[in-house]
Amino acid sequence: MNTNYYAILMAGGVGSRFWPVSTSSFPKQFHDMLGTGETLIQKTFNRLTKLIPKENIFILTNEKYNDLVLEQLPDVAQKQVVLEPAMRNTAPCILYASLKIQKENPNAVMVVAPSDHWIEDEDAFINDLQTCFRKCEKENVLMTLGIQPTFPNTGYGYINFEKSEKPIKKVHQFTEKPNYETAKQFLESGNFLWNAGIFIWSVNTIITAFQNFQPKLYDLFDEGMTVYNTDFEDDFIRDNYSRAENISIDYAIMERASQVYVLLATFDWNDLGTWGSLYDKLQKNEGENAVINARTVLQDASGNMIRTTGKKVVVIDGLNEYIVVDNDDVLLIYPKTKEQDIKQVLQKVKNTFGEQYG
């Protein structure tokens, strides 16, 4: 394997739209959401090891998930777990991890990948990633993998690219989540892709981009270069991380840089952001119900997403297009059409019964 290849695995999110399974103390990336025997972070880590040495995969997460990471990824050493003492969005943590990698290997080329996405054809993913790595090894460019839209989804950001015959296309601009009519126009135009949040670049190119477009943020983290990858790193980060601006990598860098390119992904992808998106990717029974970890007796029931723990017996009669999730001391029975409201429901539950339920 190429020892200059690195990965930053983003594993700090809470995944509140997957409540009650995903909670702030045990978020979705540490659950076997697909019923495959592997958690989402395990599947993502194992996928990346097809191209990247295990010791070169850094896990970016909140400090309260440190033990979960080490438990679920036994091949990962403590030094590979990059801990955030505060939530500051994606730009600060990516800069922090990039500086650590640059200090270890200034020739590094890396991918930034979410830990909780579903990718079916892993060989196609690796081939696409290799294509991006090769371009980033030769040129000072920032790259991303774009997903061919299949419907006017208003829950994703979009990438507007310049049409050409080349497989790698120059990015014209990034667009945040549009309304439905705008999303329809994007699909009709033929030069918009979904933004999957998968980025590829050389470590020197991304750090130069931070110097150019986010000098204050760069200066803050550059102060710690002498202590990164040493026993004194934790003290510096604990004292300084909360001073970082709360800003995404899209706003901070990708929307400002000019040398940004996108490769149309050749693999099937889903960000697994909601119970409905999980339902779409699971096998269904004859009533089009998706079932995980449950034994069911169903009558006049269709289109339901059903999940329990411990192979619980679930009997349903006369329920259609619902999310039915039983987890510990919470039972959720909720319309699939209102799945985006689960975040608000969670907040009501916490306000009523206490933070321990979220």
Side-chain angles (χ1 to χ4, degrees):
M1 285 192 177
N2 192 326
T3 56
N4 289 333
Y5 286 0
Y6 282 73
I8 296 176
L9 197 51
M10 308 291 284
V14 175
S16 55
R17 286 178 295 178
F18 270 113
W19 183 81
V21 170
S22 183
T23 64
S24 60
S25 61
F26 205 116
K28 68 174 179 177
Q29 59 268 30
F30 301 108
H31 288 275
D32 177 11
M33 298 300 299
L34 296 162
T36 63
E38 283 186 309
T39 65
L40 293 178
I41 193 172
Q42 288 171 333
K43 286 187 72 68
T44 307
F45 181 85
N46 292 335
R47 183 187 308 129
L48 290 170
T49 60
K50 294 182 178 182
L51 182 65
I52 299 165
K54 292 180 180 180
E55 62 272 18
N56 289 359
I57 301 176
F58 286 67
I59 316 300
L60 259 173
T61 192
N62 190 281
E63 59 183 10
K64 64 183 177 180
Y65 305 138
N66 182 62
D67 291 344
L68 275 172
V69 169
L70 295 175
E71 176 187 332
Q72 295 200 3
L73 301 177
D75 290 331
V76 166
Q78 180 65 69
K79 68 176 184 177
Q80 294 169 247
V81 187
V82 183
L83 300 174
E84 303 170 81
M87 296 185 73
R88 285 295 183 272
N89 216 312
T90 52
C93 60
I94 288 173
L95 173 59
Y96 169 31
S98 298
L99 288 168
K100 283 172 59 66
I101 290 171
Q102 186 190 48
K103 187 174 181 180
E104 178 176 299
N105 183 352
N107 297 316
V109 180
M110 60 185 180
V111 58
V112 177
S115 62
D116 52 4
H117 288 183
W118 178 92
I119 291 173
E120 183 170 6
D121 189 342
E122 296 195 343
D123 290 339
F125 168 78
I126 293 300
N127 288 336
D128 288 350
L129 196 54
Q130 181 71 80
T131 298
C132 294
F133 272 26
R134 286 178 180 141
K135 186 173 179 68
C136 293
E137 285 175 306
K138 298 173 184 176
E139 303 175 41
N140 296 323
V141 297
L142 305 172
M143 288 205 65
T144 184
L145 289 172
I147 310 298
Q148 184 66 55
T150 54
F151 67 100
N153 193 317
T154 59
Y156 297 152
Y158 285 73
I159 302 168
N160 179 207
F161 61 86
E162 296 178 6
K163 291 182 178 179
S164 75
E165 297 301 317
K166 297 179 180 179
I168 296 175
K169 306 181 189 297
K170 199 168 193 307
V171 172
H172 178 63
Q173 70 178 56
F174 288 82
T175 303
E176 290 303 302
K177 300 173 183 178
N179 59 36
Y180 182 75
E181 288 302 318
T182 303
K184 282 177 62 179
Q185 293 173 11
F186 286 172
L187 261 67
E188 291 166 1
S189 73
N191 62 327
F192 281 83
L193 301 172
W194 285 337
N195 182 0
I198 302 172
F199 304 106
I200 306 96
W201 42 55
S202 74
V203 68
N204 292 325
T205 299
I206 188 60
I207 288 174
T208 298
F210 272 103
Q211 289 174 320
N212 292 337
F213 301 115
Q214 298 295 329
K216 288 184 180 179
L217 194 61
Y218 171 79
D219 289 343
L220 172 64
F221 284 95
D222 184 55
E223 290 176 13
M225 276 301 281
T226 57
V227 299
Y228 292 152
N229 306 335
T230 74
D231 293 340
F232 302 100
E233 177 181 329
D234 290 348
D235 292 335
F236 171 82
I237 290 299
R238 195 169 290 110
D239 292 341
N240 291 280
Y241 199 89
S242 61
R243 295 167 52 202
E245 182 182 357
N246 189 330
I247 186 171
S248 73
I249 191 70
D250 299 75
Y251 280 124
I253 302 297
M254 302 304 284
E255 294 184 7
R256 299 167 184 259
S258 58
Q259 291 300 102
V260 182
Y261 291 82
V262 62
L263 175 67
L264 172 60
T266 61
F267 51 87
D268 198 2
W269 168 93
N270 192 296
D271 77 336
L272 293 185
T274 65
W275 286 113
S277 64
L278 178 61
Y279 169 87
D280 291 340
K281 292 304 175 186
L282 293 171
Q283 287 189 338
K284 319 293 192 301
N285 62 21
E286 60 185 17
E288 289 300 303
N289 300 288
V291 181
I292 298 179
N293 297 335
R295 293 174 289 165
T296 58
V297 177
L298 307 175
Q299 183 172 323
D300 188 23
S302 64
N304 298 301
M305 173 70 242
I306 304 166
R307 188 189 195 276
T308 70
T309 54
K311 298 293 183 182
K312 183 172 289 187
V313 174
V314 179
V315 181
I316 295 177
D317 189 341
L319 195 66
N320 301 289
E321 300 293 329
Y322 264 71
I323 301 163
V324 180
V325 178
D326 180 68
N327 190 68
D328 297 332
D329 52 358
V330 176
L331 172 63
L332 175 74
I333 305 172
Y334 208 73
K336 275 165 58 181
T337 55
K338 297 175 65 177
E339 64 175 6
Q340 295 292 340
D341 297 338
I342 288 178
K343 271 188 176 182
Q344 287 72 36
V345 172
L346 167 58
Q347 193 56 54
K348 290 179 182 178
V349 170
K350 292 196 290 187
N351 290 342
T352 304
F353 301 107
E355 289 290 327
Q356 69 270 26
Y357 289 95

